[in-house]
Amino acid sequence: MAMRQPLAFEICEAEGTPLYATPDYPENPGLTGETPLAPPFGEGFLRVARPDGGAGVRAQAIRMLSIGACLLVLLVCALVTGGILLVRAVRRERRDARRKTDFIDNVSHELKTPLAGIRLNAELLAENRLPDEEKRRGALDAIIIESDRLSRMVSELLDFSRLEKGTRRYNLETFDLAAFVLDPAERQGIATVSQDRARLSAKGPGCKVVADKDAIRQIGINLVTNAVKYAEGEIDIEVEGTMVRYLDRGPGIPPGDEERIFERFYRVDNSLAQKTGGSGLGLSIARSLARGMGGDLTYSSRPGGGSIFTLTLKETTS
Ligand code: ADP
């Protein structure tokens, strides 16, 4: 329980001249209370004051005021921060909504283009309108290429959905990274997506990693597909230690977009991206897969022009 402060007293005549005061009555009483003396004590009055002249009460009032002011400042800060966060959230929502619409447009376009190609070539073959063997072979090849494109698109969408739902499972194994990437079957897979533009090499001795081979394959396909789409010339794939680097001589990523290209649905706003189709999911999926295995995928610009995408994997501890 709070201790009550003692009070000091003074008895005064009616006109205010003090007659008697307790020894602790302060010289500057500050805040006082008065009550008239009743007969038979005469016309005077009793004055009550705090022995410290009210300094304690003032200090407490100042303390309360300071606490009040601090709370007010905190409230204002909380309101301002809340406002800023709200505005940001609304902006992010709007941006996401716009990107989703772009994504649906892009995906619809991406699905329609190969379908149209498949249908056209299938009709030409069905109606026997291609006179020579070479043209018929060309139509069949076009159907195979377009259906590959379609199935890549569909697996990209399925991968994205699994990653978003968190249901993608990783089959982690310990293996030599260079031996895996340079394996003839893997080389062949890369040669197909890169249209024979990829040069694979290993720098230094092989290194054992703990990773999911399917995920590495998927990351490689996404990065090489991009290099084919956005760059001309050779695509270098270098294995060094626990890293695989994908280098091209394309336009690179504009400053400021280096991290945003890994966001879902994000596509660089330039004529190159407009010219080439895409869902804006390839890099986001690739980075999610890399991180899901305990590694990472980063971008850096290539000296002399172009892009370097570096996949870093977890080294085995045993
Ligand atoms: P998509 O290729 O379907 O648009 P991605 O997520 O794979 O989506 O890539 C995001 C964006 O990053 C692309 O739209 C493109 O502008 C840019 N990009 C990706 N890879 C490269 C590259 N190798 N060179 C230049 N720009 C690239």
Side-chain angles (χ1 to χ4, degrees):
M1 221 168 66
M3 290 273 287
R4 300 206 76 187
Q5 249 195 323
L7 294 173
F9 301 94
E10 179 179 64
I11 295 171
C12 301
E13 285 182 323
E15 69 280 10
T17 319
L19 286 176
Y20 168 77
T22 52
D24 55 352
Y25 195 86
E27 253 182 63
N28 298 310
L31 210 64
T32 56
E34 290 172 3
T35 181
L37 291 175
F41 297 106
E43 297 285 290
F45 57 87
L46 180 73
R47 189 178 276 151
V48 191
R50 302 243 181 235
D52 62 358
V57 175
R58 272 198 300 278
Q60 199 175 355
I62 290 171
R63 228 180 2 256
M64 295 304 284
L65 264 176
S66 327
I67 292 174
C70 285
L71 286 177
L72 194 71
V73 170
L74 278 178
L75 186 72
V76 171
C77 286
L79 280 175
V80 171
T81 316
I84 292 173
L85 289 178
L86 191 72
V87 170
R88 278 202 193 150
V90 169
R91 272 203 205 137
R92 203 179 315 121
E93 279 293 313
R94 273 204 206 143
R95 200 187 58 204
D96 273 5
R98 203 177 47 240
R99 280 198 205 156
K100 273 181 197 157
T101 325
D102 289 350
F103 164 74
I104 292 168
D105 285 352
N106 289 336
V107 169
S108 315
H109 179 74
E110 284 286 282
L111 294 175
K112 264 165 76 184
T113 315
L115 271 177
I118 292 172
R119 193 189 166 99
L120 176 77
N121 284 294
E123 275 174 8
L124 289 174
L125 287 168
E127 291 164 15
N128 234 346
R129 282 170 38 205
L130 297 172
D132 57 90
E133 187 54 30
E134 202 184 324
K135 289 214 166 102
R136 280 198 290 274
R137 185 70 245 164
L140 282 172
D141 283 347
I143 290 176
I144 293 169
I145 290 170
E146 295 300 352
S147 45
D148 266 359
R149 203 168 136 191
L150 262 183
S151 80
R152 261 205 308 277
M153 188 78 198
V154 172
S155 19
E156 195 168 79
L157 292 173
L158 286 176
D159 269 337
F160 174 67
S161 144
R162 263 186 240 125
L163 286 166
E164 284 284 291
K165 281 194 278 182
T167 54
R168 172 72 160 84
R169 297 277 162 263
Y170 295 90
N171 178 21
L172 297 179
E173 297 172 58
T174 302
F175 56 90
D176 185 299
L177 183 62
F180 169 67
V181 176
L182 302 179
D183 178 89
E186 297 303 321
R187 275 176 182 272
Q188 186 49 48
I190 289 292
T192 312
V193 256
S194 71
Q195 299 162 2
D196 276 329
R197 282 166 52 187
R199 286 186 310 199
L200 284 120
S201 61
K203 286 187 165 177
C207 192
K208 287 237 157 96
V209 293
V210 187
D212 176 326
K213 288 182 176 171
D214 274 344
I216 299 182
R217 213 171 273 136
Q218 181 67 58
I219 294 169
I221 290 175
N222 289 10
L223 295 176
V224 171
T225 307
N226 278 351
V228 170
K229 269 201 306 195
Y230 301 113
E232 299 200 335
E234 278 172 337
I235 302 158
D236 289 306
I237 303 177
E238 296 171 357
V239 191
E240 186 174 5
T242 59
M243 290 183 292
V244 189
R245 278 190 289 266
Y246 299 82
L247 305 96
D248 66 52
R249 283 285 177 210
I253 305 296
D257 274 341
E258 295 96 334
E259 269 304 300
R260 301 189 71 191
I261 51 168
F262 293 101
E263 290 174 17
R264 53 197 195 144
F265 311 133
Y266 189 78
R267 306 198 73 219
V268 174
D269 190 11
N270 60 18
S271 57
L272 188 60
Q274 275 159 19
K275 226 168 46 200
T276 56
S279 59
L281 289 180
L283 289 179
S284 141
I285 291 174
R287 178 175 267 185
S288 296
L289 289 171
R291 291 188 173 171
M293 294 186 278
D296 206 356
L297 177 67
T298 52
Y299 165 83
S300 54
S301 65
R302 188 176 185 183
S307 303
I308 308 178
F309 287 91
T310 306
L311 168 66
T312 310
L313 296 163
K314 234 165 96 176
E315 191 171 2
T316 175
T317 43
S318 58

